[in-house]
Amino acid sequence: MVYFADDADLNKRLDRGPPGTTLTAWFEVNKSNHILADGTPARTLLYADFPRYFTWKAKKKMWYERKAGLAIGRMHSVHPNSHNRFYLRLLLNHVRGATSFEDLRTVTRNGRTVTYDTFREAALALGLLTDDDCWRETLKEAAASQTGAQLRCLFAALLLFGEMHEPGKLFEDFVNVSFS
């Protein structure tokens, strides 16, 4: 969501363009065909793997190749009810080297390239939603950080909106999850 003050000059804001984010900066690095010091093309990295090889400079809103140290990337979990963001996150965990949001929605299968209108359609075309693996991963991530009540609410949301193929099996897989 984007908020503006009542007295903000929106034309001036639009002239500056959108603010840089870690995601849009990832697109820019991928466009530049950057090659890492070890010879690996940056475009072969998933978005979540980027912090292992790059550092984010917030003031400049740019990624710079990591010179030393180690970092583990982590993307925030997204509830399936948030629809578009959920499918965007799903694609970011599976699509390497995207250069734009449109590129994330573009799928090539059997020599045919199609740009889908939504992230969900692209995820379907990539086969990311054909079985319950997506929902299994969602529940596994949630089980690591949420309470039992939160997990039950998530499962209920998945039942309502998730288009699960075998909800009973998923329930059996997670019914005895222990919380530490």
Side-chain angles (χ1 to χ4, degrees):
M1 295 209 144
V2 178
Y3 297 95
F4 295 99
D6 289 337
D7 60 345
D9 183 354
L10 297 182
N11 288 327
K12 194 181 219 181
R13 177 67 198 136
L14 289 172
D15 289 342
R16 284 192 297 194
T21 65
T22 55
L23 179 56
T24 57
W26 178 66
F27 292 150
E28 294 303 316
V29 172
N30 288 333
K31 284 179 193 172
S32 74
N33 291 315
H34 181 83
I35 304 295
L36 297 168
D38 67 1
T40 304
R43 287 194 70 162
T44 62
L45 303 174
L46 291 169
Y47 178 66
D49 295 335
F50 231 60
R52 188 177 305 148
Y53 302 94
F54 289 84
T55 57
W56 174 249
K57 303 291 184 188
K59 286 187 179 180
K60 294 187 178 188
K61 298 193 184 287
M62 291 178 67
W63 288 105
Y64 290 90
E65 190 168 345
R66 184 174 293 285
K67 297 198 183 343
L70 177 68
I72 297 171
R74 182 181 79 81
M75 289 199 299
H76 296 282
S77 59
V78 177
H79 197 281
N81 281 358
S82 62
H83 304 290
N84 219 21
R85 284 185 288 167
F86 178 80
Y87 297 114
L88 169 62
R89 184 181 186 280
L90 184 62
L91 290 171
L92 289 172
N93 281 316
H94 290 88
V95 176
R96 297 175 188 277
T99 58
S100 66
F101 290 104
E102 182 177 302
D103 199 19
L104 277 172
R105 296 188 326 268
T106 302
V107 177
T108 301
R109 289 277 168 149
N110 302 322
R112 187 170 164 247
T113 301
V114 177
T115 300
Y116 292 92
D117 293 330
T118 66
F119 297 124
R120 183 182 184 281
E121 290 172 344
L124 276 168
L126 286 170
L128 301 177
L129 300 173
T130 57
D131 56 26
D132 290 336
D133 285 346
C134 166
W135 310 124
R136 185 169 278 100
E137 283 301 312
T138 299
L139 288 166
K140 208 182 301 182
E141 280 183 28
S145 63
Q146 294 185 2
T147 66
Q150 291 170 320
L151 207 54
R152 286 189 295 278
C153 285
L154 174 60
F155 188 76
L158 291 178
L159 285 172
L160 291 171
F161 306 108
E163 300 176 25
M164 290 187 275
H165 297 280
E166 296 182 84
K169 174 131 176 52
L170 271 177
F171 179 80
E172 291 297 323
D173 291 349
F174 286 90
V175 71
N176 293 318
V177 171
S178 63
F179 299 95
S180 44

